[in-house]
Amino acid sequence: MPEIALSSGPIDYQDTGGTGPVLVFGHGLPMNETQWRKVVPLLDASFSRMLARMVAAREAQERLVHDAAHELRTPLTSLLANATVLHRVTELSPDSRDRLLHDVQDETRELGHLVDELVELALEGAREEAEEPVDLAEVTRRAAQHVHRRTGRLVHVDADDCVVRGRPQGLERAVGNLLENAAKFDADGDEPVLVRVRQGSVTVLDRGPGIADADVRRVFDRFYRADGARPLPGSGLGLAIVHDVAEAHGGTVSAGARPGGGATVGFTVSRSRLLR
């Protein structure tokens, strides 16, 4: 469907034969009935698409608020329970006090992480980061260095020289989330996490416990945490952000088993965005 560009002043119609945009612009002359008949359906279609995008954005916002309220309730309830126990802290043994304070610290840390992820997820859809040529290998190396500083885990980068048109901060965050996820699930591993970059695709491979078949389709859902992930720190939002970044770049996400044990998780950008 052709697009419409509007400007102030009287309106004219330019028929491009369906190969390009239909332009409506001011030139000082009124349109005749034939021109209006061509323009009105295009205006109607454009407004319908705009309204559909607005409705989709509102629905996504409502889902985020609902999910966030649900996820925040658990750590807040736990903190409240521990705060109640603190009222009689003098009655507790030293070991019990230490355990209680340790629990409060862990819960506060997890709550802070959850809030950070929620903010990042909410901003991901609204952020107006300018697109530019992005060297995926360079973005991946920066993300790998950041994860190594945070976790101490070595990351091996195997990358080609592809350049894509995209949002550098969003892409770096997506790669970083994949690497953080791998480091968390393969915390006891003695070999580097591997990240492979090929023609607009980024795949992270680890030697952790892998992903169960029942979880493959849901690992990119907001707040989803597989049974094996529940004892580990995390909010269940990291891979959801990866999904949103991939979608914003016309790409897809994937997850599966790694031959020999472990998991492979990654994303792509649209091939139409490949510049090199």
Side-chain angles (χ1 to χ4, degrees):
M1 174 65 70
E3 295 291 339
I4 291 176
L6 294 175
S7 71
S8 60
I11 301 174
D12 194 10
Y13 168 81
Q14 178 179 325
D15 190 345
T16 60
T19 60
V22 172
L23 303 178
V24 181
F25 55 92
H27 79 345
L29 296 176
M31 291 195 302
N32 59 39
E33 183 178 352
T34 300
Q35 291 172 321
W36 271 113
R37 286 178 177 174
K38 292 180 178 180
V39 169
V40 170
L42 295 172
L43 284 169
D44 180 65
S46 291
F47 281 119
S48 295
R49 287 195 297 274
M50 179 186 70
L51 289 173
R53 288 194 294 268
M54 291 175 63
V55 169
R58 178 60 182 269
E59 290 176 346
Q61 183 185 56
E62 290 178 348
R63 286 197 303 273
L64 177 60
V65 171
H66 179 270
D67 290 345
H70 175 75
E71 293 299 318
L72 287 168
R73 189 173 294 116
T74 298
L76 287 173
T77 300
S78 182
L79 280 171
L80 180 60
N82 282 327
T84 302
V85 176
L86 283 173
H87 281 294
R88 51 186 184 86
V89 66
T90 56
E91 302 174 16
L92 301 177
S93 67
D95 286 345
S96 296
R97 284 200 299 269
D98 288 344
R99 286 197 301 271
L100 178 63
L101 292 174
H102 185 270
D103 288 345
V104 170
Q105 289 174 336
D106 284 349
E107 289 158 359
T108 304
R109 189 181 302 113
E110 284 300 305
L111 184 59
H113 181 68
L114 174 58
V115 170
D116 288 343
E117 294 282 15
L118 282 169
V119 171
E120 181 65 27
L121 186 64
L123 291 178
E124 191 60 44
R127 184 180 290 130
E128 294 296 335
E129 183 186 357
E131 293 190 352
E132 60 184 71
V134 179
D135 184 332
L136 270 187
E138 180 60 29
V139 162
T140 301
R141 292 188 186 99
R142 287 200 303 268
Q145 291 169 358
H146 180 70
V147 169
H148 176 62
R149 287 195 300 269
R150 280 173 54 92
T151 68
R153 191 62 184 275
L154 292 176
V155 178
H156 177 71
V157 178
D158 175 17
D160 62 12
D161 61 353
C162 68
V163 175
V164 302
R165 177 172 50 84
R167 294 160 30 199
Q169 293 181 17
L171 290 168
E172 185 172 340
R173 179 61 189 263
V175 177
N177 283 1
L178 290 177
L179 291 172
E180 294 269 7
N181 194 67
K184 177 174 67 176
F185 282 96
D186 189 17
D188 298 326
D190 56 3
E191 66 178 84
V193 173
L194 172 63
V195 54
R196 185 175 294 137
V197 180
R198 292 288 186 276
Q199 290 296 293
S201 71
V202 178
T203 306
V204 171
L205 304 92
D206 64 55
R207 289 299 185 189
I211 303 174
D213 292 341
D215 297 322
V216 167
R217 293 186 179 181
R218 300 197 60 192
V219 292
F220 293 97
D221 292 349
R222 291 176 181 175
F223 302 109
Y224 181 74
R225 305 190 72 196
D227 290 341
R230 297 189 185 281
L232 299 174
S235 62
L237 287 173
L239 293 185
I241 293 173
V242 174
H243 174 274
D244 287 357
V245 171
E247 189 175 64
H249 289 79
T252 59
V253 291
S254 62
R258 181 183 184 183
T264 67
V265 187
F267 71 94
T268 68
V269 302
S270 170
R271 294 194 66 82
S272 65
R273 290 178 171 270
L274 279 173
L275 302 179
R276 184 178 70 198

